[in-house]
Amino acid sequence: MSCCSQEEILAVLDCFRIICSLRWEQIHVHSGLRPKQIPDSALPLAKPPRLDQDISIVEVRANIRFRVLGFRSQNAFNVLWFDRLHSLLPG
């Protein structure tokens, strides 16, 4: 996050605020977050070795270009990667 602009940091914080204020059912259909499950074959990096291989990685939108990739564990969204230029998984 040290290379992020103030605008990008605020967008990520707002994204996290929205995630924290919603139930998972609402997050899955939220038009601003646009959550998308990412197949392992499309991941730009290998999953961390301590992460169970059956856990799905999800991309959520912080702003028009900034994406946050992570996974759900019980009631928490665990961040794995920040994609500030939407270049890890373009499209």
Side-chain angles (χ1 to χ4, degrees), residues 9-23 26-27 30 32-33 60-62 68 77 79:
I9 291 171
L10 291 173
V12 169
L13 292 175
D14 191 48
C15 174
F16 292 158
R17 180 192 57 77
I18 292 169
I19 289 172
C20 288
S21 69
L22 300 174
R23 295 185 318 271
Q26 296 170 303
I27 291 170
H30 193 278
L33 296 173
V60 294
R61 177 182 163 162
V68 180
F77 180 73
V79 174

Side-chain angles (χ1 to χ4, degrees), residues 1-12 63 66 84:
M1 297 287 303
S2 62
C3 62
C4 293
S5 69
Q6 183 175 0
E7 180 182 327
E8 291 168 330
I9 291 171
L10 291 173
V12 169
N63 71 17
F66 202 118
R84 62 184 286 266

Side-chain angles (χ1 to χ4, degrees), residues 56-72:
S56 298
I57 305 301
V58 176
E59 172 190 81
V60 294
R61 177 182 163 162
N63 71 17
I64 197 161
R65 288 181 39 182
F66 202 118
R67 302 296 188 268
V68 180
L69 285 82
F71 64 96
R72 176 185 171 185

Side-chain angles (χ1 to χ4, degrees), residues 27-71:
I27 291 170
H28 288 295
V29 297
H30 193 278
S31 62
L33 296 173
R34 297 184 186 175
K36 181 170 59 171
Q37 188 171 334
I38 307 299
D40 289 352
S41 60
L43 290 173
L45 304 166
K47 284 184 183 178
R50 295 180 296 185
L51 191 61
D52 288 337
Q53 293 306 305
D54 62 335
I55 290 180
S56 298
I57 305 301
V58 176
E59 172 190 81
V60 294
R61 177 182 163 162
N63 71 17
I64 197 161
R65 288 181 39 182
F66 202 118
R67 302 296 188 268
V68 180
L69 285 82
F71 64 96

